[in-house]
């Protein structure tokens, strides 16, 4: 089971390598207002995390997520079977 | 006398496949690599395209296992479709093949030497002294740029007729093994089609004049859009930065171009915009502060046939001219999109705000109360979007009966 920091590292990698984000990613960054992700950007990030950690995120999960830290915690939780 | 449009035609291959059928055809390949294949179907639906016309019957694509096989199929289909487009344009303009003095051919979806324009010489019965200009590699912007090149030819030889032919068979570039998000978006967005525009100067006026053009190159954008040439063919490069680039640059560049003609953005009555993709169009509308419905024809073209690369802006042009809504004295701004170009012609569309039918999560997630999206994966969840977006392109302006000036320089993805 990954810990949230491992997931956060993967989030930063996807943002940098696949979405071309050049700035540093902070745990408190809002995915939309701070990182400027549109729906395609968000889906690119989610697909990367689902493939890397073998989880499937649901719409209900997404409704609770706004920041990098919240997304990392959610993925870590799902990967742990919760 | 300024060059003016004598006639337009746009043609589609006969093999239409709806989006759900295409998603089903891709599903097995997605499942091989991605853990949550259902997520990827959202990407196909997010592009808002209802279906595509394909150069070949759907079942034929599996037989094309190599770049060589796909490109051979491209040459045959591009020649057939290109012939239909030119013949249709000549017929609509009441011209003969022997009237054509210059033929500009643009594409980015296949390779051919002799080029497709050369292969059409005998099939169309063109004069042996026709000047041919095949252009490969400009991408989506080639629609507006090609129109500018045709206008340049007519300015140099005002007695002749120049034909622009754009043929794009995006389906034959598909890389089945590439399961990147960029390729998945491209496989959901791009379709096949061809368009022809005839331009003259000393001929009876039938359409808008091309009075001014401009191209703008954006440094540092080499990896925003394009192809990586790999052993299996064309591997798409499509950066999610395109809408951001449009937002950052398009208004300043369009306003600067219009200022050279003493025209303001508010005076442009018709925006003939490349179909790009939903995000690019939204960015275009926002950046240019376009009123609602200003890009209605572009959105409709995107939804009905997908992004046809360079041919798309010419489909939208054809639709506008056929509608009869363009009147004498109107100003128009055609624009194509790909990284460095835009076109200005005339018109103004706009966009719905936060109904988010473009949302990747699909219409079922939309709130019945206020039309906003209930999905947290939708970026509209925390912002009230109002206003339009657009894609980039290059402008052209014409006058009398209208003015339109195409200028290619565009930025946008599919």
């Amino acid at each position: 089971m990954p810990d949230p920091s491992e997931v956060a590292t993967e989030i930063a990698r996807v943002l940098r390598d696949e979405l071309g984000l050049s700035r540093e990613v902070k745990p408190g960054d809002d995915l939309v207002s701070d990182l400027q992700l549109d729906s395609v950007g968000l889906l690119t990030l989610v697909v990367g995390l689902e493939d890397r950690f073998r989880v499937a995120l649901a719409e209900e999960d997404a409704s609770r997520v706004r920041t990098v830290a919240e997304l990392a915690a959610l993925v870590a939780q799902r990967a742990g079977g919760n | 006398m300024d060059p003016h449009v004598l006639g337009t035609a746009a043609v589609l291959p006969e093999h239409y496949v709806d989006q759900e059928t295409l998603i089903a055809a891709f599903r097995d390949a997605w499942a091989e690599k991605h853990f949550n294949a259902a997520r990827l179907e959202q990407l196909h639906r997010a592009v808002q395209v209802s279906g595509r016309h394909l150069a070949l019957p759907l079942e034929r694509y599996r037989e094309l296992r190599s770049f060589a096989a796909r490109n051979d199929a491209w040459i045959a289909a591009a020649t057939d479709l290109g012939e239909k487009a030119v013949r249709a344009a000549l017929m609509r303009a009441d011209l003969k093949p022997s009237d054509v003095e210059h033929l500009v051919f643009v594409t980015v979806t296949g390779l051919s030497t002799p080029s497709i324009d050369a292969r059409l010489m005998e099939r169309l019965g063109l004069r042996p002294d026709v000047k041919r200009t095949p252009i490969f590699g400009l991408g989506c912007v080639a629609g507006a740029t090609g129109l500018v090149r045709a206008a340049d030819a007519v300015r140099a030889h005002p007695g002749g007729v120049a034909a622009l032919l754009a043929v794009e068979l995006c389906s034959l570039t598909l890389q089945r093994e590439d399961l990147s998000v960029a390729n998945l978006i491209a496989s959901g967005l791009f379709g096949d089609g061809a368009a022809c525009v005839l331009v003259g100067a000393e001929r009876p006026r039938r359409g808008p004049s091309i009075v001014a053009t401009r191209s703008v190159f954006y440094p540092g954008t080499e990896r925003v859009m394009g192809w990586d040439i790999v052993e299996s063919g064309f591997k798409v490069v499509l950066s999610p930065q395109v809408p951001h680039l449009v937002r950052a640059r398009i208004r300043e560049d369009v306003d600067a171009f219009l200022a050279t003609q003493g025209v303001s953005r508010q005076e442009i009555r018709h925006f003939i915009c490349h179909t790009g993709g939903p995000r690019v169009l939204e960015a275009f509308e926002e950046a240019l502060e376009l009123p609602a419905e200003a890009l209605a024809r572009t959105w409709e073209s995107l939804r009905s046939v997908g992004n046809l690369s360079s041919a798309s802006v010419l489909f939208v042009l054809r639709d506008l001219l056929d509608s009869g809504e363009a009147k004498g004295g109107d100003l128009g701004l055609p624009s194509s999109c790909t990284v460095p170009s835009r076109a200005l012609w005339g018109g103004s569309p706009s966009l719905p705000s936060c109904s988010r039918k473009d949302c990747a999560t699909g219409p079922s997630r939309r709130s019945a109360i206020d039309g906003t999206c209930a999905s947290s994966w939708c970026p509209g969840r925390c912002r009230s979007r109002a206003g339009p977006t657009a894609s980039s392109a290059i402008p052209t302006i014409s006058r009398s009966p209208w003015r339109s000036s195409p200028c290619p320089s565009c930025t946008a993805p599919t």
Side-chain angles (χ1 to χ4, degrees), chain B residues 65-134:
Chain B
R65 298 185 180 281
S66 67
F67 184 20
R70 281 191 289 272
N71 199 67
D72 283 347
W74 181 89
I75 291 172
T79 307
D80 289 345
L81 204 61
E83 179 183 359
K84 289 179 183 175
V86 176
R87 286 194 186 282
L90 289 170
M91 185 178 70
R92 287 161 60 95
D94 197 21
L95 293 171
K96 304 182 297 296
S98 58
D99 292 320
V100 175
E101 188 170 278
H102 199 123
L103 175 57
V104 179
F105 173 72
V106 299
T107 192
V108 72
T109 52
L111 301 172
S112 177
T113 302
S115 48
I116 299 301
D117 45 284
R119 295 172 190 269
L120 289 175
M121 290 289 289
E122 292 181 82
R123 287 176 63 151
L124 286 168
L126 298 175
R127 286 166 19 200
D129 65 342
V130 163
K131 302 170 187 68
R132 295 180 294 106
T133 305

Side-chain angles (χ1 to χ4, degrees), chain B residues 243 246-247 250 273 277-291 294-295 298-299 349-352 356 358 385-392:
Chain B
V246 171
R247 284 191 176 86
I250 194 82
C273 188
R279 296 294 165 274
V280 176
L281 292 179
E282 289 170 3
F284 200 84
E285 291 173 326
E286 279 180 22
L288 293 184
E289 301 171 315
L290 298 180
L295 296 187
T298 293
W299 280 100
S350 93
L351 247 215
R356 307 302 309 188
D358 55 313
R385 286 186 55 258
T389 33
S391 67
S392 50

Side-chain angles (χ1 to χ4, degrees), chain A:
Chain A
M1 168 181 170
D3 62 38
S5 65
E6 182 182 351
V7 180
T9 300
E10 179 65 6
I11 290 172
R13 187 201 65 76
V14 173
L15 292 171
R16 181 187 64 246
D17 295 347
E18 299 186 30
L19 294 172
L21 187 73
S22 54
R23 80 171 182 75
E24 180 187 1
V25 177
K26 300 171 183 173
D29 282 340
D30 186 287
L31 298 170
V32 173
S33 61
D34 293 328
L35 300 180
Q36 298 289 303
L37 296 181
D38 60 13
S39 66
V40 173
L42 286 167
L43 279 168
T44 301
L45 177 57
V46 169
V47 168
L49 296 174
E50 288 180 332
D51 288 344
R52 169 70 176 76
F53 296 106
R54 315 299 290 174
V55 296
L57 301 181
E59 287 298 328
E60 295 69 26
D61 295 329
S63 64
R64 295 185 279 129
V65 168
R66 285 185 177 276
T67 66
V68 169
E70 290 168 353
L71 178 59
L74 171 66
V75 172
Q77 181 188 36
R78 284 286 175 271
N82 297 314

Side-chain angles (χ1 to χ4, degrees), chain B residues 109-410:
Chain B
T109 52
L111 301 172
S112 177
T113 302
S115 48
I116 299 301
D117 45 284
R119 295 172 190 269
L120 289 175
M121 290 289 289
E122 292 181 82
R123 287 176 63 151
L124 286 168
L126 298 175
R127 286 166 19 200
D129 65 342
V130 163
K131 302 170 187 68
R132 295 180 294 106
T133 305
I135 300 174
F136 174 87
L138 280 175
C140 304
V141 76
T145 304
L147 190 54
V148 174
R149 295 289 84 79
D152 289 346
V154 168
R155 284 197 172 91
H157 305 280
V161 171
L164 163 64
L165 172 63
V167 181
E168 302 289 10
L169 306 178
C170 304
S171 68
L172 288 167
T173 68
L174 179 68
Q175 302 292 301
R176 287 184 175 277
E177 302 73 21
D178 177 10
L179 297 182
S180 66
V181 169
N183 191 47
L184 294 176
I185 293 171
S187 65
L189 179 65
F190 288 99
D192 300 344
C196 178
V197 178
L198 301 170
V199 179
E202 297 174 354
R203 299 273 174 165
R205 183 182 299 279
R206 292 172 179 267
S209 299
I210 299 166
V211 299
T213 70
R214 172 170 290 188
S215 293
V216 180
F217 182 80
Y218 295 158
T221 57
E222 290 181 11
R223 296 300 296 171
V224 171
M225 291 185 65
W227 298 128
D228 283 332
I229 309 300
V230 298
E231 289 194 7
S232 55
F234 301 127
K235 183 175 186 293
V236 69
V237 175
L238 183 57
S239 164
Q241 296 303 312
V242 175
H244 303 301
L245 189 56
V246 171
R247 284 191 176 86
R249 295 296 304 267
I250 194 82
R251 179 161 59 186
E252 178 184 349
D253 292 334
V254 164
D255 286 352
F257 168 59
L258 292 178
T260 66
Q261 304 300 311
V263 171
S264 71
R265 208 184 322 138
Q266 290 69 30
E267 293 176 81
I268 300 296
R269 181 163 172 74
H270 307 284
F271 285 87
I272 301 95
C273 188
H274 168 60
T275 49
R279 296 294 165 274
V280 176
L281 292 179
E282 289 170 3
F284 200 84
E285 291 173 326
E286 279 180 22
L288 293 184
E289 301 171 315
L290 298 180
E293 302 307 316
L295 296 187
R297 284 193 180 81
T298 293
W299 280 100
E300 175 54 31
S301 186
L302 173 67
R303 290 178 182 123
S304 61
V305 299
N307 182 331
L308 307 179
S309 191
S310 67
S312 273
V313 70
L314 307 180
F315 270 66
V316 178
L317 172 61
R318 187 276 314 262
D319 292 346
L320 171 64
L321 297 182
D322 284 358
S323 74
E325 291 181 17
K327 307 297 184 189
D330 286 357
L331 285 171
L333 179 64
S335 65
S336 296
C337 288
T338 291
V339 175
S341 80
R342 1 186 123 171
L344 204 48
W345 179 2
S348 66
S350 93
L351 247 215
S353 42
C354 202
S355 61
R356 307 302 309 188
K357 52 193 167 192
D358 55 313
C359 174
T361 54
S364 63
R365 304 299 301 182
R366 259 180 276 152
S367 162
I369 298 173
D370 60 3
T372 57
C373 185
S375 168
S376 290
W377 299 124
C378 172
R381 75 189 197 279
C382 66
R383 289 186 294 191
S384 173
R385 286 186 55 258
T389 33
S391 67
S392 50
I394 294 180
T396 301
I397 298 176
S398 69
R399 298 175 192 240
S400 164
W402 328 357
R403 325 167 151 201
S404 96
S405 65
C407 161
S409 111
C410 150

